[in-house]
């Protein structure tokens, strides 16, 4: 533990209202923190750096529970490190979100009866910038509501001037190193957004479709293939079979007639084909399927595109001009008319990719695009983890990372959009291709045009850990704060964003990875563990819960559920429970202040302390060490739970209650306990601050008079332990708990007083008799005392006189009636469970319910018999 370096003075208790009202304090506190510059980071500082980047939210976005969860974890880490004396940078910013933002502005234009083509490229891009200035970035204000301690003066945007220069620089370097190239390949294509999209922008869902089996060829040369996309058969250029499949060996190398066309196509042998699946023969459409494209490359097959960018059929014949779904039905009907349909299965449920922005079914499409050659970059990204330069936490996630980077395909980085970083390549009138760096002049003259495409959003966000620090310039911030200390992000984007940052960071920063540790967390789910989705009706707006219960309550609930790499269920009842915890902290601190708790002066020597004082200080130091260990292991749930139980159970429910008689008695013992209570609250509030910053700020500054807990010193374990005191108080707790349980069993009201004799000779309880009697509502025994119940607990005997409190005969009668009912319930349950005919017919859930009734009956019988044994004879 540490003494308060600011020599605080205790504030008057009137500074704390009777109730905590989060809405009245949170906004004001946050603005005060920002105004005082607590969250800013100085590149010239000699303090050790601690750097975390915010996973940049989309400029179109608003705070959802996933953001609130992730931001709470990052904020807790950075607040603690700031208190530990690190020069802490939590880097904020937003992503320009190419497709999402362009779609938003296009929808706005549509309301005016216009399209982007009516404006033209330059005017449309200007309109998007205008939208960003007026409506974009509302999430920044919501982050303030949550308490994000980010360095706002350093806020960046992936399309700002500095980051645009970084994008152009790395594109040029990769291009010159022959790691960026242009080629025709299969990509994910959205016929609505009219652009290639990345794998992460494809959402897969089970759709009702159809599986059609159809005959190609005639006579002995007939072969049956199956497909869910019959319209693509117009672009088939082969049928593939496994080379060892005896059924088709006679066909390999032959030509078969492709129905509905005037073409014949070859039968090729390829080991990609699974002979056990379906008929063991597959149609090959290289221009419209990624696996077929690979087969086509291996066998030098032509790739015939039969759809345009709108997914409209372009092949000559009766299907030309039809939408793909219209063509599907028409082609199946035409094949049926020719007797080519062997089987049709409807509905056929299968996984289908949809554009995450507009929900349109994506179309695999052969297209000329720009690509990153990821082989050497991915190898470096894998080696950095294998060599220990980067740690993945939890470690079991390493396998998923290696499975991805070790098998990474080249990355399509071009998008057919207008909003984004335009590809810095110019084409000349005679076929020239020139890539232009940020300090180079674009080619001028007639016939020179710039590539129309923009870069994938992940290209610029992949530079985030160093571009935000001024790269490619060698800035002071880059030297101080790169590499990042840790990346906190969801396991769902391990493959997309994280892998790209690893590849680009190692490439651009001379082999230095972008972060030391990747700490992966799970997804937020509803209280039943179900994925949150608008279609399920279980999506929660975190702002609603913050309005209702306060930001601290939401944060504490999220942190308390955060086990590394595991999904987090959350329900409103849990947030309400966390609000109750905040209120408990408030009320307990208020009580302590009213009773003279202080942080003035050094802690008294242990020899002047009671065993209760020594116990709580010993426990306090253990909790400091425990919380530190959990933070270093990113165990947010465990550290939050440890703090919850220490604060609520040990400090508020035990130490404060055990100390009340000391406070009432006054004298030196009371003064010592007031200083101990002040110390315990001071340290506990500092330990809680990173997770619940607002309530702890108000309480800590009131208790200590310090400037702000944000810049207070993080508690250190002083090493003080007192095992004897801990054992002694555990004994006190055992006695009080057991007597309370007995009182409840006998139906006594919590405040009802009972005469009692405590046999404490030679027991450590002797020093605690006044507190024990007060907590248990036990009166002195008196002259007429008769022990009607005796409880031996932990070497201590507690005798109670219940004669004037309980009608024993009536109580025995009541318990006997309850016992008979429990025994009857047990007999009925046993009878049913012993009936083989019943068990054979009854559903599992009914049988389980009866087993539960039997267990409950057994528990009730044991409990009631114990109560009867403890009652004196009438």
């Amino acid at each position: 533990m540490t003494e308060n370096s600011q020599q605080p003075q205790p504030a008057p208790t009137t500074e704390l209202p009777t109730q905590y009202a989060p809405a009245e304090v949170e906004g004001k506190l946050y603005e005060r923190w920002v105004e005082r510059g607590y969250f800013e980071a100085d590149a010239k500082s000699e303090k050790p750096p601690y750097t975390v980047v915010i996973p940049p939210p989309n400029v179109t976005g608003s705070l959802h529970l996933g953001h609130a969860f992730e931001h709470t974890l990052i904020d807790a880490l950075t607040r603690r490190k700031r208190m530990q004396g690190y020069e802490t940078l939590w880097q904020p910013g937003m992503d320009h979100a190419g497709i999402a933002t362009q779609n938003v502005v296009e929808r706005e234009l549509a309301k005016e009866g216009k399209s982007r083509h009516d404006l033209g490229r330059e005017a449309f891009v200007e309109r998007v910038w205008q939208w960003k200035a007026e409506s974009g970035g509302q999430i920044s204000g919501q982050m303030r509501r949550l308490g994000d301690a980010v360095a706002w003066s350093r806020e960046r945007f992936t399309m700002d001037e500095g980051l645009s220069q970084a994008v152009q620089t790395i594109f040029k370097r990769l291009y010159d190193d022959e790691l960026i190239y242009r080629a025709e390949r299969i990509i994910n294509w959205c016929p609505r957004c009219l652009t290639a999209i990345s794998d992460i922008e494809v959402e897969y869902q089970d759709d009702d479709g159809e599986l059609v089996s159809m005959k190609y060829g005639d006579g002995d040369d007939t072969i049956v293939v199956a497909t869910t996309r019959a319209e693509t058969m117009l672009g088939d250029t082969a049928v593939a079979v496994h080379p060892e499949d005896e059924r088709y060996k006679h066909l390999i190398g032959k030509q078969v007639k492709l129905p509905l066309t005037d073409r014949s196509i070859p039968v090729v042998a390829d080991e990609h084909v699974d002979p056990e699946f379906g008929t063991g023969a597959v149609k090959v459409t290289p221009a419209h399927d990624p696996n077929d494209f690979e087969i086509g490359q291996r066998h030098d097959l032509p790739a015939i595109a039969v759809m345009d960018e709108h997914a409209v059929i372009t092949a000559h014949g009766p299907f030309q001009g039809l939408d793909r779904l219209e063509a599907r039905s028409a082609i199946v009907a035409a094949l049926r008319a020719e007797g080519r349909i062997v089987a049709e299965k409807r509905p056929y449920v299968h996984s289908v990719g949809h554009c995450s922005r507009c929900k349109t079914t994506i179309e695999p499409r052969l297209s000329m695009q720009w690509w990153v050659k990821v082989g050497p970059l991915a190898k470096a990204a894998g080696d950095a983890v294998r060599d220990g330069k980067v740690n993945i936490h939890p470690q079991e996630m390493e396998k998923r990372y290696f499975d991805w980077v070790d098998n990474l395909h080249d990355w399509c980085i071009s998008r057919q959009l207008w909003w984004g970083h335009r590809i810095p390549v110019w084409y000349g009138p005679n076929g020239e291709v020139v890539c232009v760096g940020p300090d180079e002049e674009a080619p001028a003259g007639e016939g020179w045009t710039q590539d129309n495409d923009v870069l994938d959003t992940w290209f610029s966000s992949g530079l985030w850990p160093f571009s935000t620090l001024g790269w490619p310039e060698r800035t002071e911030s880059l030297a101080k704060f790169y590499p990042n200390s840790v990346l906190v992000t969801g396991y769902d984007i391990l493959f997309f964003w994280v892998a790209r940052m690893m590849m680009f960071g190692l490439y651009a920063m001379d082999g230095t990875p972008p972060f030391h540790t990747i700490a992966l967390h799970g997804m937020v789910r509803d209280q039943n563990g179900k994925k949150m989705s608008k279609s399920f009706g279980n999506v929660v707006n975190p702002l609603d819960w913050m309005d209702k219960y306060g930001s601290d309550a939401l944060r504490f609930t999220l942190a308390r559920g955060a086990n590394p790499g595991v999904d987090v269920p959350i329900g409103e009842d849990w947030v309400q429970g966390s609000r109750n915890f905040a209120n408990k902290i408030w009320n307990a601190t208020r009580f302590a202040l009213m009773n003279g708790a202080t942080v003035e002066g050094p802690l008294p020597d242990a020899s002047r302390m009671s065993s209760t004082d020594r116990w709580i200080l010993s426990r306090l130091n253990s909790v400091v060490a425990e919380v530190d260990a959990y933070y270093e292991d990113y165990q947010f749930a465990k550290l939050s739970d440890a703090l919850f139980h220490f604060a609520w159970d040990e400090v508020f429910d035990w130490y404060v209650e055990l100390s009340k008689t000391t406070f009432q008695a006054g004298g030196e013992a009371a003064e010592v306990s007031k200083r101990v209570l002040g110390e315990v609250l001071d340290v506990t509030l500092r330990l809680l601050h990173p997770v619940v910053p607002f309530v702890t700020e108000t309480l800590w500054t009131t208790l200590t008079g310090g400037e702000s807990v944000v810049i207070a010193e993080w508690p250190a374990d002083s090493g003080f332990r007192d095992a004897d005191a801990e054992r002694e108080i555990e004994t006190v707790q055992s006695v009080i708990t057991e007597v309370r349980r007995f009182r409840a069993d006998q139906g006594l009201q919590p405040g009802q007083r009972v005469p009692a004799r405590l046999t404490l000779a030679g027991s450590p309880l002797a020093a605690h008799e006044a507190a024990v009697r007060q907590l248990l509502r036990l009166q002195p025994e008196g002259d007429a005392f008769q022990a009607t119940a005796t409880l031996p607990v932990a070497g201590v005997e507690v005798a109670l006189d219940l004669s004037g409190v309980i009608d024993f005969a009536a109580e025995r009668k009541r318990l006997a009636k309850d016992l008979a009912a429990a025994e009857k319930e047990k007999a009925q349950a046993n009878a049913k469970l012993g009936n083989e005919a019943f068990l054979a017919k009854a559903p599992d859930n009914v049988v389980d319910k009866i087993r539960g009734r039997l267990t409950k009956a057994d528990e009730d019988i044991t409990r009631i018999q114990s109560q009867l044994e403890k009652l004196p004879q009438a």
Side-chain angles (χ1 to χ4, degrees):
M1 293 172 294
T2 58
E3 292 185 20
N4 193 318
S5 60
Q6 297 164 343
Q7 298 182 338
Q9 299 296 318
T13 59
T14 52
E15 288 189 18
L16 277 183
T18 55
Q19 291 185 326
Y20 177 49
E24 295 178 13
V25 300
E26 290 179 349
K28 295 175 185 176
L29 285 181
Y30 190 85
E31 290 310 312
R32 185 189 307 161
W33 291 334
V34 173
E35 288 168 7
R36 293 180 177 178
Y38 293 155
F39 307 151
E40 297 303 324
D42 182 4
K44 294 183 171 64
S45 169
E46 294 184 2
K47 296 178 182 178
Y50 187 81
T51 315
V52 184
V53 294
I54 191 172
N58 288 352
V59 67
T60 59
S62 59
L63 192 75
H64 56 63
L65 269 180
H67 289 129
F69 173 53
E70 186 168 81
H71 290 199
T72 294
L73 305 187
I74 300 174
D75 198 44
L77 290 174
T78 53
R79 283 179 181 271
R80 172 175 174 260
K81 285 295 182 180
R82 186 178 292 109
M83 295 172 75
Q84 286 183 313
Y86 286 79
E87 193 62 32
T88 303
L89 170 60
W90 184 9
Q91 174 67 54
M94 285 184 292
D95 193 289
H96 64 279
I99 295 177
T101 307
Q102 180 157 318
N103 281 348
V104 167
V105 178
E106 286 198 79
R107 283 196 294 269
E108 293 295 316
L109 284 174
K111 294 175 184 177
E112 304 170 15
K114 298 178 181 177
S115 73
R116 61 179 164 127
H117 300 285
D118 294 324
L119 271 66
R121 183 170 193 143
E122 188 174 335
F124 176 76
V125 170
E126 185 58 39
R127 179 70 175 263
V128 180
W129 279 108
Q130 180 184 339
W131 175 87
K132 176 189 178 291
E134 296 172 357
S135 307
Q138 64 172 320
I139 196 171
S140 295
Q142 295 164 350
M143 287 164 56
R144 293 169 183 262
R145 283 283 315 277
L146 188 64
D148 285 7
V150 299
W152 287 112
S153 69
R154 291 173 172 266
E155 187 173 13
R156 304 302 298 269
F157 180 56
T158 51
M159 286 279 287
D160 69 26
E161 184 178 348
L163 270 66
S164 294
Q165 183 183 29
V167 167
Q168 197 171 352
T169 298
I170 202 162
F171 187 99
K172 171 69 172 174
R173 292 187 186 178
L174 289 165
Y175 182 87
D176 289 346
D177 286 344
E178 297 183 349
L179 293 172
I180 281 184
Y181 64 94
R182 192 169 184 244
E184 196 173 40
R185 297 275 186 86
I186 292 283
I187 45 88
N188 301 311
W189 181 264
C190 176
R192 155 61 182 80
C193 298
L194 298 180
T195 181
I197 60 175
S198 67
D199 291 337
I200 199 172
E201 292 164 322
V202 178
E203 292 180 349
Y204 288 91
Q205 65 185 49
D206 287 340
D207 286 357
D208 286 344
E210 61 181 356
L211 181 66
V212 179
S213 298
M214 48 197 179
K215 291 190 297 185
Y216 287 8
D218 297 295
D220 292 339
D221 293 343
T222 299
I223 192 166
V224 176
V225 297
T227 183
T228 57
R229 300 163 66 216
E231 68 279 10
T232 63
M233 60 86 60
L234 299 174
D236 286 0
T237 55
V239 173
V241 297
H242 194 275
E244 302 301 323
D245 194 331
E246 294 293 336
R247 294 171 295 177
Y248 302 119
K249 278 194 172 182
H250 70 287
L251 288 176
I252 295 172
K254 288 188 176 182
Q255 299 277 325
V256 295
K257 172 74 169 152
L258 180 65
L260 308 183
T261 71
D262 58 359
R263 292 190 292 116
S264 292
I265 57 177
V267 177
V268 299
D270 196 282
E271 292 187 351
H272 168 77
V273 178
D274 180 1
E276 302 297 324
F277 183 77
T279 64
V282 297
K283 59 190 286 299
V284 181
T285 321
H288 293 281
D289 184 275
N291 293 322
D292 293 3
F293 178 80
E294 297 296 332
I295 293 175
Q297 292 285 294
R298 288 194 287 272
H299 297 277
D300 198 25
L301 300 173
I304 302 174
V306 296
M307 278 181 263
D308 66 12
E309 65 270 24
H310 297 279
V312 171
I313 301 298
T314 58
H316 295 296
F319 312 108
Q320 187 173 6
L322 294 180
D323 170 83
R324 56 183 164 167
L325 298 181
E326 296 172 330
R328 183 175 300 171
S329 298
I331 287 170
V332 171
L335 289 168
R336 192 183 298 114
E338 290 191 4
R340 294 280 178 179
I341 299 296
V342 175
E344 297 178 69
K345 186 176 180 181
R346 295 190 187 88
Y348 178 73
V349 179
H350 61 134
S351 181
V352 178
H354 296 258
C355 174
S356 62
R357 305 301 177 190
C358 68
K359 311 309 177 186
T360 302
T361 301
I362 63 108
E363 190 65 44
R365 183 168 187 258
L366 187 63
S367 179
M368 182 66 76
Q369 302 285 347
W370 285 94
W371 304 80
V372 171
K373 184 179 180 181
V374 300
L377 302 174
K379 182 180 183 305
D383 290 346
V385 174
R386 288 189 173 93
D387 297 344
K389 292 181 180 178
V390 178
N391 297 309
I392 293 180
H393 190 279
Q395 191 173 6
E396 54 264 29
M397 288 285 182
E398 280 188 3
K399 183 180 184 302
R400 296 179 65 177
Y401 176 79
F402 292 136
D403 286 346
W404 180 258
V405 297
D406 293 347
N407 299 285
L408 205 55
H409 297 293
D410 285 1
W411 169 23
C412 176
I413 56 171
S414 46
R415 299 291 180 266
Q416 290 64 57
L417 304 171
W418 288 355
W419 172 246
H421 295 102
R422 195 166 177 181
I423 288 175
V425 171
W426 271 255
Y427 305 107
N430 300 311
E432 302 94 334
V433 179
V434 175
C435 180
V436 177
D439 300 321
E440 300 172 345
E441 290 290 330
E446 188 176 347
W448 282 92
T449 57
Q450 186 176 357
D451 195 297
N452 282 319
D453 290 350
V454 300
L455 287 163
D456 178 10
T457 301
W458 297 99
F459 191 94
S460 51
S461 61
L463 315 180
W464 193 247
F466 51 93
S467 63
T468 51
L469 297 172
W471 187 90
E473 301 299 323
R474 294 287 172 175
T475 63
E476 284 184 319
S477 289
L478 189 65
K480 177 74 174 179
F481 296 113
Y482 187 91
N484 289 193
S485 305
V486 61
L487 173 74
V488 179
T489 192
Y491 62 69
D492 57 324
I493 57 173
L494 173 64
F495 313 135
F496 305 101
W497 186 47
V498 178
R500 282 151 174 70
M501 286 191 290
M502 286 284 282
M503 290 191 296
F504 281 165
L506 290 160
Y507 174 80
M509 297 299 294
D510 303 319
T512 302
F515 19 73
H516 296 302
T517 300
I518 302 168
L520 298 170
H521 59 72
M523 304 295 102
V524 179
R525 297 180 177 271
D526 71 13
Q527 62 189 33
N528 299 313
K530 194 173 184 179
K531 180 181 178 181
M532 288 193 174
S533 165
K534 290 180 181 178
S535 61
F536 296 152
N538 61 350
V539 173
V540 174
N541 183 345
L543 297 172
D544 293 341
W545 281 352
M546 286 193 281
D547 289 341
K548 195 170 182 179
Y549 302 111
S551 298
D552 284 333
L554 176 64
R555 289 170 60 115
F556 193 73
T557 304
L558 291 166
R560 205 172 175 196
N563 291 296
V566 178
D567 288 347
V568 182
I570 184 172
E572 186 168 0
D573 288 350
W574 305 341
V575 184
Q576 186 174 352
S578 295
R579 187 272 312 275
N580 295 343
F581 179 51
N583 288 342
K584 182 80 169 181
I585 301 169
W586 182 274
N587 292 333
T589 305
R590 187 169 179 274
F591 167 84
L593 288 168
M594 291 172 64
N595 283 273
T598 180
V599 295
E600 281 192 288
L603 273 175
D605 188 78
S607 62
R608 296 174 56 202
M609 296 180 187
S610 68
S611 57
T612 310
D613 295 331
R614 297 195 304 277
W615 160 71
I616 198 63
L617 289 175
S618 181
R619 288 294 304 127
L620 177 66
N621 278 283
S622 295
V623 169
V624 169
E626 189 178 2
V627 168
D628 275 333
Y630 286 144
Y631 262 116
E632 295 306 314
D633 199 33
Y634 304 99
Q635 297 280 0
F636 297 98
K638 290 182 178 178
L639 72 89
S640 299
D641 213 45
L643 287 169
F644 173 86
H645 287 294
F646 175 71
W648 191 306
D649 300 343
E650 298 187 79
V651 179
F652 305 146
D653 279 358
W654 282 111
Y655 180 72
V656 169
E657 292 300 320
L658 288 171
S659 300
K660 280 182 178 179
T661 53
T662 305
F663 292 150
Q664 291 165 2
E668 181 185 359
E671 295 307 310
V672 169
S673 291
K674 289 174 184 178
R675 179 64 188 89
V676 170
L677 179 54
E679 179 76 8
V680 171
L681 287 174
D682 170 20
V683 173
T684 302
L685 291 169
R686 282 185 278 154
L687 288 173
L688 282 165
H689 172 73
V691 182
V692 284
F694 294 107
V695 67
T696 51
E697 172 79 344
T698 305
L699 295 176
W700 186 86
T701 53
T702 303
L703 171 70
T704 69
E707 180 184 337
S708 172
V709 70
V710 175
I711 54 172
E713 193 172 343
W714 181 254
D717 176 9
S718 70
F720 177 80
R721 301 288 191 280
D722 192 323
D724 291 338
E726 290 196 34
R727 280 192 295 271
E728 182 174 322
I729 300 305
E730 284 172 9
T731 302
V732 174
Q733 291 170 332
S734 296
V735 171
I736 292 172
T737 300
E738 184 60 29
V739 176
R740 279 176 172 167
R741 184 181 297 117
F742 176 78
R743 286 177 58 110
D745 287 346
Q746 302 308 315
L748 296 179
Q749 296 300 314
Q752 195 168 1
R753 295 196 168 272
V754 177
R757 178 192 300 137
L758 275 61
T759 307
L760 305 174
S763 165
L765 233 68
H768 303 278
E769 181 170 356
V772 170
R773 284 187 175 276
Q774 180 166 310
L775 289 173
L776 290 174
R777 304 296 190 268
L778 302 180
Q779 296 177 183
E781 51 194 278
D783 295 336
F785 179 84
Q786 60 177 17
T788 59
T790 303
L791 305 176
V793 186
V796 173
E797 190 174 272
V798 180
L800 303 174
D801 182 356
L802 305 177
S803 57
V805 179
I806 297 175
D807 182 337
F808 296 125
E811 183 64 11
R812 233 172 224 293
K813 188 175 181 180
R814 182 186 70 81
L815 289 172
K817 184 178 178 182
D818 289 348
L819 180 60
E823 288 173 338
K824 182 180 179 181
E825 176 74 2
K826 178 178 180 178
Q828 290 175 341
N830 273 328
K832 285 191 175 182
L833 293 174
N835 185 334
E836 294 296 334
F838 170 78
L839 292 177
K841 295 179 181 178
D844 289 345
N845 64 318
V846 172
V847 175
D848 288 343
K849 187 175 181 180
I850 293 170
R851 288 195 179 112
R853 284 167 51 191
L854 177 60
T855 301
K856 174 69 166 50
D858 278 332
E859 291 171 351
D860 288 344
I861 290 168
T862 301
R863 174 179 56 80
I864 295 167
Q865 287 175 339
S866 174
Q867 290 176 250
L868 282 166
E869 288 170 5
K870 291 175 182 176
L871 276 179
Q873 296 298 320

